[in-house]
Amino acid sequence: MIGATRGTLAGAISPPGPATLAQRSLQAVWHPCTPLKPGGAAEPLAIVRGEGLWLIDADDRRYFDATSSWWVNLFGHANPFINAALKAQLDTLEHVMLAGCTHAPAVELAERLSALTGGALGHAFYASDGASAVEIALKMSFHYWRNTGLPAKREFVCLRNGYHGETIGALAVTDVAIFRDAYDPLLMQSHVVMSPDARQAGPGESAADVAQRALGEFEALLRERAGQIAAIIIEPLVQCAGSMAMYDPSYLDGVRALCDRYRVHLIADEIAVGCGRTGTFFAWEQSRAEEAPLPARLWPDFLCMSKGISGGYLPLSVVLSRAAIHEAFVADDVGRSFLHSHSYTGNPLACRAALATLDLFEHNQVIEQNRLRAQWLAAAMAALGADARLANVRQRGLIWAADVHPELAGEGFAARFHQAALARGVLARPIGNTLYVLPPYAFDAAQAQWLAQRLHAALDFVLDPSPANEVCHAA
Ligand SMILES: *Cc1c(COP(=O)(O)O)cnc(C)c1O
């Protein structure tokens, strides 16, 4: 059957009888980020196993994981090196509480992450998901100011179109309407300031000019309210959930300088952009600080990591902070201590997966290799990027994105593209009209070409579903 997509096909021909895994899943599992339509939600893709870049279903169909399974996977699925490390850890210590106990994986990971900042940041505080890392940074910032005699500093600043997770505290500093609006009455009020998103450039304006404008707006707020503001939280270089909005690195230096001048903490949320995704291990390294040896003050005050840190294997998040922050919590008085408790904090298996991930970065020169991969991706996507139906073509490291003109995309573009790409062997999920790829660090030049061709064919079909643009999966 030519051009059929899974959702429609299943509805048309499923005989009565035992339900498929996808059908049972719709019944038993409340799927995230999936509207429960009265006519039945689109069936999920049932994956049986993973192998490098590929996810494989029960019929042995293979799908290129073009978004690294929601941006978590770094080195492909079922990576033999990480698998071996985890198997060894499993036979040694699966878990122990981290209050009053410790273990080698938690200590080594904390030491190695600190070393990656040249010692500027450290004191790793562990949790399991990104939103919790954000909660921890917000709580620590407020608590620091309280401990240092400035309890009035309790407000937070975030960027327009920024995303920091979906717990109540993290949503309060998130400005993506689709996730936030329903819960708005529950959320603390944050200050939302202009994003440096380079797509806002007016005629004759550069990305750096846009960054300066955004800094100007932040400074205007600081002049008024710095005495009440605890911290600003930003996603360095790319606002990923905010449709892969990219901006000029000069914003990082500017925001650091303003935070110093007005005594406000800077929280860098590297949950999506960390771990080599943008070309350096930390996206923050692309601030101008890169050109000079790093004095501690050029780093953010807090740095949150999650997603890729465990190679995409296990839930793990980490908040790193400056020594001066940690010192403000040293006291006999328990009220001055940071007591955030999480049952699985510092889980040895998750930390072991992260250590294996850092080993791979070192042994395989991943940052250098990714420079090549970024070039292969750019070359492969050139034809698609030149397509007049796309605008704002952009790339930072191993994130490529472009916006389909809204009048061409039409209703439900993301869902239609998702299905069309699946039929062509690619797992991709556009954000609104923004088409993007964020692949595992495991592809070669030929695979990048293959991916680009499949995406282009999917776009041709979605924007013009005529017979000429149809394909079968195996084509
Ligand atoms: C995904 C993400 C989060 C939230 O992480 P979860 O593990 O999904 O809670 C926070 N910030 C950014 C920038 C993210 O991309």
Short mmCIF file of all heavy atoms in Angstrom, two decimals, residues 8 11 60 70 84 88 95 102 108 128 146 153 159 169 198 287 296 312 325 328 358 361 371 375 385 394 403 415 433:
data_model
loop_
_atom_site.label_atom_id
_atom_site.label_comp_id
_atom_site.label_asym_id
_atom_site.label_seq_id
_atom_site.Cartn_x
_atom_site.Cartn_y
_atom_site.Cartn_z
N THR A 8 -3.73 5.56 9.93
CA THR A 8 -4.89 5.29 9.10
C THR A 8 -4.93 3.82 8.72
O THR A 8 -5.99 3.20 8.74
CB THR A 8 -4.84 6.15 7.82
OG1 THR A 8 -3.57 5.93 7.21
CG2 THR A 8 -4.99 7.61 8.14
N GLY A 11 -6.40 1.57 11.49
CA GLY A 11 -7.84 1.70 11.62
C GLY A 11 -8.57 0.95 10.53
O GLY A 11 -9.62 0.36 10.75
N ASP A 60 10.20 -5.35 12.00
CA ASP A 60 11.58 -5.13 11.58
C ASP A 60 11.76 -3.90 10.69
O ASP A 60 12.73 -3.81 9.94
CB ASP A 60 12.12 -6.38 10.87
CG ASP A 60 13.44 -6.81 11.50
OD1 ASP A 60 13.68 -6.46 12.68
OD2 ASP A 60 14.24 -7.47 10.81
N TRP A 70 13.73 12.55 21.96
CA TRP A 70 13.48 13.75 22.78
C TRP A 70 14.78 14.31 23.35
O TRP A 70 14.85 14.72 24.50
CB TRP A 70 12.46 13.48 23.89
CG TRP A 70 11.12 14.13 23.61
CD1 TRP A 70 10.82 14.94 22.56
CD2 TRP A 70 9.91 14.01 24.38
NE1 TRP A 70 9.50 15.34 22.63
CE2 TRP A 70 8.93 14.80 23.73
CE3 TRP A 70 9.58 13.34 25.56
CZ2 TRP A 70 7.63 14.91 24.21
CZ3 TRP A 70 8.28 13.47 26.03
CH2 TRP A 70 7.31 14.24 25.37
N ALA A 84 28.12 -2.15 28.73
CA ALA A 84 29.05 -2.94 29.55
C ALA A 84 29.26 -2.26 30.91
O ALA A 84 29.29 -2.92 31.95
CB ALA A 84 30.38 -3.09 28.81
N ALA A 88 28.24 -3.96 34.61
CA ALA A 88 29.20 -4.12 35.71
C ALA A 88 28.67 -3.41 36.96
O ALA A 88 28.75 -3.94 38.07
CB ALA A 88 30.56 -3.55 35.31
N HIS A 95 21.81 0.69 44.06
CA HIS A 95 21.39 1.97 44.63
C HIS A 95 21.70 2.02 46.11
O HIS A 95 21.66 0.99 46.79
CB HIS A 95 19.88 2.21 44.43
CG HIS A 95 19.46 3.58 44.90
ND1 HIS A 95 19.88 4.73 44.28
CD2 HIS A 95 18.71 3.98 45.94
CE1 HIS A 95 19.39 5.78 44.92
NE2 HIS A 95 18.68 5.36 45.94
N THR A 102 27.71 7.53 50.60
CA THR A 102 28.19 7.98 49.29
C THR A 102 28.70 6.77 48.53
O THR A 102 28.71 5.64 49.05
CB THR A 102 29.26 9.08 49.41
OG1 THR A 102 29.44 9.70 48.14
CG2 THR A 102 30.58 8.53 49.93
N GLU A 108 32.90 10.43 41.58
CA GLU A 108 33.70 10.60 40.36
C GLU A 108 33.00 11.49 39.34
O GLU A 108 33.62 12.33 38.69
CB GLU A 108 33.99 9.23 39.72
CG GLU A 108 35.11 8.49 40.44
CD GLU A 108 35.21 7.02 39.99
OE1 GLU A 108 34.78 6.70 38.86
OE2 GLU A 108 35.69 6.20 40.80
N SER A 128 16.77 13.57 39.21
CA SER A 128 16.56 12.62 38.13
C SER A 128 16.05 13.23 36.84
O SER A 128 16.25 12.66 35.77
CB SER A 128 15.58 11.51 38.58
OG SER A 128 16.17 10.74 39.60
N ARG A 146 18.56 34.53 51.00
CA ARG A 146 18.03 34.57 52.37
C ARG A 146 19.14 34.35 53.38
O ARG A 146 19.24 35.06 54.38
CB ARG A 146 16.93 33.51 52.54
CG ARG A 146 15.96 33.88 53.64
CD ARG A 146 14.91 32.82 53.86
NE ARG A 146 15.48 31.62 54.44
CZ ARG A 146 14.76 30.65 55.00
NH1 ARG A 146 13.45 30.73 55.00
NH2 ARG A 146 15.35 29.61 55.52
N LYS A 153 15.08 39.20 47.87
CA LYS A 153 15.40 38.76 46.52
C LYS A 153 14.73 37.39 46.30
O LYS A 153 15.29 36.35 46.65
CB LYS A 153 16.93 38.68 46.31
CG LYS A 153 17.54 40.09 46.19
CD LYS A 153 19.06 40.06 46.22
CE LYS A 153 19.71 39.74 44.90
NZ LYS A 153 19.54 40.80 43.88
N LEU A 159 13.28 34.18 29.88
CA LEU A 159 13.24 34.76 28.55
C LEU A 159 11.93 34.39 27.84
O LEU A 159 11.40 33.30 28.01
CB LEU A 159 14.41 34.27 27.69
CG LEU A 159 15.82 34.59 28.20
CD1 LEU A 159 16.85 34.17 27.16
CD2 LEU A 159 15.95 36.08 28.52
N GLY A 169 7.08 24.86 39.58
CA GLY A 169 8.11 25.90 39.65
C GLY A 169 8.79 26.13 38.32
O GLY A 169 9.04 27.27 37.92
N ALA A 198 17.51 35.35 17.16
CA ALA A 198 18.02 36.13 16.02
C ALA A 198 16.97 36.33 14.92
O ALA A 198 17.13 37.20 14.06
CB ALA A 198 19.26 35.46 15.44
N SER A 287 30.68 31.49 25.08
CA SER A 287 30.75 32.90 25.45
C SER A 287 32.18 33.36 25.17
O SER A 287 33.06 32.53 24.96
CB SER A 287 30.42 33.09 26.94
OG SER A 287 31.45 32.53 27.73
N ALA A 296 36.67 32.53 37.38
CA ALA A 296 35.42 31.91 37.82
C ALA A 296 34.22 32.78 37.52
O ALA A 296 33.15 32.30 37.22
CB ALA A 296 35.50 31.61 39.30
N GLY A 312 21.47 9.18 27.46
CA GLY A 312 20.11 8.83 27.07
C GLY A 312 19.66 7.51 27.66
O GLY A 312 18.67 6.93 27.20
N ILE A 325 28.40 30.03 46.47
CA ILE A 325 27.00 29.66 46.75
C ILE A 325 26.98 28.57 47.82
O ILE A 325 26.28 28.67 48.82
CB ILE A 325 26.33 29.14 45.46
CG1 ILE A 325 26.49 30.15 44.34
CG2 ILE A 325 24.89 28.68 45.74
CD1 ILE A 325 25.31 30.88 43.86
N ALA A 328 27.57 29.61 51.42
CA ALA A 328 26.48 30.31 52.13
C ALA A 328 25.54 29.33 52.83
O ALA A 328 24.67 29.75 53.60
CB ALA A 328 25.71 31.20 51.17
N LEU A 358 31.00 10.25 29.66
CA LEU A 358 32.18 11.14 29.68
C LEU A 358 33.41 10.41 29.16
O LEU A 358 34.25 11.02 28.47
CB LEU A 358 32.43 11.67 31.10
CG LEU A 358 31.35 12.58 31.70
CD1 LEU A 358 31.80 13.13 33.05
CD2 LEU A 358 31.00 13.73 30.75
N PHE A 361 33.31 10.63 25.45
CA PHE A 361 33.74 11.96 25.00
C PHE A 361 35.27 12.02 24.93
O PHE A 361 35.83 12.55 23.97
CB PHE A 361 33.23 13.05 25.95
CG PHE A 361 31.89 13.60 25.57
CD1 PHE A 361 30.74 13.13 26.17
CD2 PHE A 361 31.79 14.57 24.58
CE1 PHE A 361 29.49 13.63 25.81
CE2 PHE A 361 30.55 15.07 24.20
CZ PHE A 361 29.40 14.59 24.83
N ARG A 371 32.57 18.40 15.19
CA ARG A 371 32.78 19.52 14.26
C ARG A 371 32.62 19.02 12.83
O ARG A 371 32.00 19.66 11.99
CB ARG A 371 34.16 20.13 14.44
CG ARG A 371 34.21 20.93 15.69
CD ARG A 371 35.27 22.00 15.75
NE ARG A 371 35.21 22.47 17.13
CZ ARG A 371 36.16 22.27 18.04
NH1 ARG A 371 37.30 21.73 17.70
NH2 ARG A 371 35.99 22.67 19.27
N GLN A 375 29.57 19.67 9.91
CA GLN A 375 29.78 20.02 8.50
C GLN A 375 29.03 19.07 7.58
O GLN A 375 28.44 19.49 6.58
CB GLN A 375 31.27 19.99 8.17
CG GLN A 375 32.04 21.15 8.79
CD GLN A 375 33.56 20.98 8.68
OE1 GLN A 375 34.04 20.20 7.88
NE2 GLN A 375 34.29 21.71 9.50
N GLY A 385 17.54 23.17 2.83
CA GLY A 385 17.60 24.54 3.34
C GLY A 385 17.37 25.58 2.25
O GLY A 385 16.89 26.68 2.52
N ARG A 394 18.78 27.53 10.00
CA ARG A 394 19.78 27.82 11.03
C ARG A 394 20.39 26.53 11.54
O ARG A 394 19.77 25.47 11.49
CB ARG A 394 19.15 28.62 12.18
CG ARG A 394 17.89 27.96 12.77
CD ARG A 394 17.05 28.98 13.53
NE ARG A 394 15.88 28.38 14.17
CZ ARG A 394 14.69 28.20 13.58
NH1 ARG A 394 14.52 28.56 12.31
NH2 ARG A 394 13.67 27.67 14.23
N ASP A 403 12.01 27.01 9.41
CA ASP A 403 10.57 27.20 9.60
C ASP A 403 9.86 27.09 8.26
O ASP A 403 10.24 27.76 7.29
CB ASP A 403 10.31 28.59 10.21
CG ASP A 403 11.11 28.81 11.50
OD1 ASP A 403 11.35 27.82 12.23
OD2 ASP A 403 11.52 29.96 11.76
N ALA A 415 1.97 17.03 12.97
CA ALA A 415 1.47 15.65 13.02
C ALA A 415 1.54 15.01 11.64
O ALA A 415 1.93 13.84 11.50
CB ALA A 415 0.04 15.64 13.55
N ASN A 433 5.53 24.75 13.13
CA ASN A 433 5.97 24.76 11.73
C ASN A 433 7.49 24.62 11.62
O ASN A 433 8.04 24.79 10.54
CB ASN A 433 5.56 26.06 11.05
CG ASN A 433 4.05 26.18 10.99
OD1 ASN A 433 3.33 25.20 11.16
ND2 ASN A 433 3.58 27.39 10.77
#
